[in-house]
Amino acid sequence: MATNATIETLLNRRSIRKFKDEPIDDDATATLETVAQHAASSQFLNDWSAIRVSDPAIKARLAEIGNQPYIATAPLLYVFVIDEHRNAHIAQRKGIDPTSDEFHLKYSYRFTQAQNDAVLALHAMETAAYSLGLGGVILGSLLNDIPALIDLLNLPEYTYPVLGLALGKPDQEPTLKPRMPRSMQFFDNTYPADDDGMLEQLPDFDNKVHQYYDLRQTDRPVDAFSDQIASVSRQGVSGKTLLDKAAAQGFQLDK
Amino acid sequence: MATNATIETLLNRRSIRKFKDEPIDDDATATLETVAQHAASSQFLNDWSAIRVSDPAIKARLAEIGNQPYIATAPLLYVFVIDEHRNAHIAQRKGIDPTSDEFHLKYSYRFTQAQNDAVLALHAMETAAYSLGLGGVILGSLLNDIPALIDLLNLPEYTYPVLGLALGKPDQEPTLKPRMPRSMQFFDNTYPADDDGMLEQLPDFDNKVHQYYDLRQTDRPVDAFSDQIASVSRQGVSGKTLLDKAAAQGFQLDK
């Protein structure tokens, strides 16, 4: 297989949830943030921002919201947000009233693309961090309580939280999680019509996943992939609703 | 600034819209797809897929939908999709009826996280491609006509298109686009309350952007950043509405 240092970094990526108690220096931080800014930006709108959280009280509160104590221990911690607030202000200076129909950046197409752009930037930062020997974990769990997160970070109108990223020097060595067979995830020209055919290799994959040990629970192998899907399918998601929360921030996703 | 080959690759990323008429070999393709699979996956659901488009007729149609002729010329072309269809089928085998309230993967939280995961995978692939000397462009424009795209790729219930990625050997050398000052995009601990203070460096950035020449329009510099924001703000987005299109695919974003 074609390879190089970048590809090795990407193939060996594992979530790191335990960090050495050592700060990340300003030079590395500047590099990571600059790299994030160089990811692609849809229509060059640069419609994301990131909050760099260093205040221990805010870190502790984020750990509560995410229900993951290690969040508070991350030497470098970011929350990436959709940001049409900055653009609303710029547009206003150009005579556009953001509350009017003329401000299309608050509608669903830009919301979606801004979310994508925030994730591109976050992944560029994550990849650069791993290339420097750091490690980390992406925090979807911060969306457990979206209003609390918005309140904590003072996120204004036309912004919306996307994901957190906790980074630091790794103090654990998790093994690599198995991935599903490529043919189950990459399809030729159209989505396959044969559902059962697509899942032909699922039993093998189920077994491989079941043989994997997670550092968070070292006393027993993790559930088979199918069992994980069933269990997450049944998990309640109350309070995580996108639509009303986005509307409260000024976005109109029905347009 | 801290650097290495990976960081250089990420800092030098430019969209490539003109490709040499040379195929990407199977080995490189396998590498890129495997790298994509190794990006982080929220709750390990692997809830994205990608359609690898090689059929010239489908490529041509995608170029029409995206209104970008170069899409048809990309040696390697993908459409990344949110995929809870595969998981619905797996859940069904475990006794869960996807049309029932028990199948939470169709609600907004998982839709959002699946979209994020698709973008993480896409960016991992893009970065690996650039590290191999390839180049490409991310295609938000495929969402110009979401129903046509869904129809063309036979995207079933509980799937939804996210972004396209066109890759190939670069046949152009665009200059690097300026990025906004880091202090305009990264904030300490909370979102800044002072809108005007945040935009203090905007005139400088406006000037820098206005000095940039885009290969797509080499006869004049591009508009200042503020003018681009105003112009995109006023662009209609009809037909790109998320909510009804996602509902037509079985997702319930109000839950």
Side-chain angles (χ1 to χ4, degrees):
Chain A
M1 204 160 77
T3 196
N4 58 41
T6 301
I7 288 170
E8 286 304 313
T9 296
L10 291 164
L11 286 177
N12 285 307
R13 188 223 164 269
R14 278 155 279 192
S15 292
I16 298 296
R17 297 182 174 86
K18 193 167 176 230
F19 304 104
K20 289 186 180 154
D21 188 18
E22 294 174 31
I24 310 301
D25 65 45
D26 289 349
D27 187 52
T29 302
T31 302
L32 297 179
E33 296 180 2
T34 305
V35 163
Q37 292 192 285
H38 279 78
S41 169
S42 165
Q43 297 183 282
F44 194 54
L45 292 186
N46 295 269
D47 45 9
W48 60 270
S49 292
I51 316 291
R52 182 198 305 120
V53 179
S54 56
D55 181 327
I58 301 181
K59 281 188 178 181
R61 185 75 189 99
L62 289 175
E64 274 174 23
I65 292 173
N67 197 23
Q68 317 273 18
Y70 55 77
I71 296 176
T73 70
L76 201 53
L77 183 61
Y78 293 93
V79 181
F80 281 73
V81 303
I82 291 170
D83 191 354
E84 303 293 6
H85 179 83
R86 181 176 47 237
N87 288 341
H89 202 60
I90 293 171
Q92 208 158 17
R93 291 181 173 191
K94 290 283 171 184
I96 295 171
D97 174 3
T99 65
S100 78
D101 284 356
E102 219 183 9
F103 184 63
H104 284 102
L105 305 185
K106 69 185 164 199
Y107 297 145
S108 65
Y109 179 69
R110 283 303 336 152
F111 183 89
T112 301
Q113 296 300 345
Q115 180 181 335
N116 292 343
D117 287 357
V119 179
L120 294 172
L122 177 146
H123 189 266
M125 176 183 273
E126 187 202 42
T127 304
Y130 277 80
S131 81
L132 291 173
L134 304 175
V137 58
I138 298 175
L139 305 167
S141 58
L142 295 182
L143 302 183
N144 281 342
D145 189 344
I146 295 165
L149 183 60
I150 286 170
D151 187 52
L152 181 67
L153 304 178
N154 288 341
L155 298 182
E157 202 172 26
Y158 310 128
T159 64
Y160 196 79
V162 178
L163 285 170
L165 179 62
L167 294 171
K169 290 181 190 158
D171 196 22
Q172 62 179 184
E173 274 197 66
T175 52
L176 210 55
K177 243 180 186 169
R179 254 50 187 180
M180 62 173 61
R182 189 153 59 98
S183 60
M184 274 177 71
Q185 205 156 22
F186 281 90
F187 310 127
D188 269 314
N189 291 306
T190 54
Y191 197 97
D194 177 7
D195 287 337
D196 287 319
M198 185 170 75
L199 297 186
E200 217 172 305
Q201 295 180 73
L202 180 64
D204 262 9
F205 182 54
D206 268 339
N207 280 334
K208 267 190 200 136
V209 171
H210 190 46
Q211 280 157 29
Y212 173 83
Y213 281 75
D214 192 310
L215 283 184
R216 285 171 292 182
Q217 200 164 38
T218 50
D219 56 327
R220 61 172 188 86
V222 303
D223 287 339
F225 185 68
S226 292
D227 294 319
Q228 292 189 42
I229 295 296
S231 140
V232 178
S233 294
R234 291 192 173 105
Q235 268 173 24
V237 288
S238 64
K240 297 182 182 178
T241 317
L242 171 68
L243 212 58
D244 55 337
K245 310 287 187 301
Q249 292 293 96
F251 291 103
Q252 295 180 37
L253 301 193
D254 57 339
K255 281 195 185 171
Chain B
M1 204 160 78
T3 196
N4 58 40
T6 301
I7 287 169
E8 286 303 314
T9 296
L10 291 164
L11 287 177
N12 286 307
R13 188 221 164 269
R14 279 155 278 193
S15 290
I16 298 296
R17 296 180 173 86
K18 194 167 176 229
F19 305 104
K20 289 187 181 154
D21 188 18
E22 294 175 31
I24 310 301
D25 65 46
D26 289 349
D27 187 53
T29 302
T31 301
L32 297 179
E33 296 180 359
T34 306
V35 163
Q37 292 192 285
H38 280 77
S41 170
S42 164
Q43 296 184 281
F44 195 55
L45 292 185
N46 295 268
D47 45 8
W48 61 269
S49 292
I51 316 292
R52 182 197 306 118
V53 179
S54 56
D55 182 328
I58 300 181
K59 280 188 180 182
R61 186 74 189 99
L62 289 175
E64 275 174 22
I65 291 173
N67 197 24
Q68 317 272 21
Y70 56 76
I71 295 175
T73 70
L76 200 53
L77 182 61
Y78 293 92
V79 181
F80 281 74
V81 304
I82 291 170
D83 191 353
E84 304 292 5
H85 179 84
R86 180 176 48 238
N87 288 341
H89 202 61
I90 293 171
Q92 208 158 17
R93 290 180 174 192
K94 291 282 171 184
I96 295 171
D97 174 4
T99 64
S100 78
D101 285 355
E102 218 182 10
F103 184 62
H104 285 103
L105 305 186
K106 68 186 164 199
Y107 298 144
S108 64
Y109 179 70
R110 282 304 333 152
F111 183 88
T112 300
Q113 296 299 345
Q115 179 182 333
N116 292 343
D117 286 357
V119 178
L120 294 172
L122 177 146
H123 189 266
M125 176 183 274
E126 187 202 43
T127 304
Y130 276 80
S131 81
L132 291 172
L134 304 175
V137 58
I138 298 174
L139 305 167
S141 58
L142 295 181
L143 302 184
N144 281 343
D145 190 343
I146 295 165
L149 183 61
I150 287 170
D151 187 53
L152 181 68
L153 303 178
N154 288 340
L155 298 182
E157 201 172 27
Y158 310 127
T159 64
Y160 196 78
V162 178
L163 285 170
L165 180 61
L167 294 170
K169 291 182 188 157
D171 197 21
Q172 61 180 184
E173 274 197 67
T175 51
L176 209 55
K177 244 181 188 167
R179 254 50 186 180
M180 63 173 62
R182 189 154 59 98
S183 59
M184 275 177 69
Q185 204 155 25
F186 281 90
F187 311 127
D188 270 315
N189 291 307
T190 53
Y191 198 95
D194 176 7
D195 287 338
D196 288 318
M198 184 170 75
L199 297 186
E200 216 172 306
Q201 294 180 72
L202 180 63
D204 262 9
F205 182 54
D206 269 338
N207 279 336
K208 268 191 197 136
V209 171
H210 189 46
Q211 279 158 28
Y212 174 83
Y213 281 75
D214 192 310
L215 283 183
R216 287 171 290 182
Q217 201 164 36
T218 49
D219 57 328
R220 61 171 188 85
V222 303
D223 288 339
F225 185 67
S226 293
D227 294 319
Q228 291 189 43
I229 296 296
S231 139
V232 178
S233 294
R234 290 190 171 105
Q235 267 174 24
V237 287
S238 64
K240 296 182 181 178
T241 316
L242 170 68
L243 211 58
D244 56 337
K245 312 286 188 301
Q249 291 293 97
F251 290 102
Q252 296 180 36
L253 302 193
D254 57 340
K255 281 193 184 171

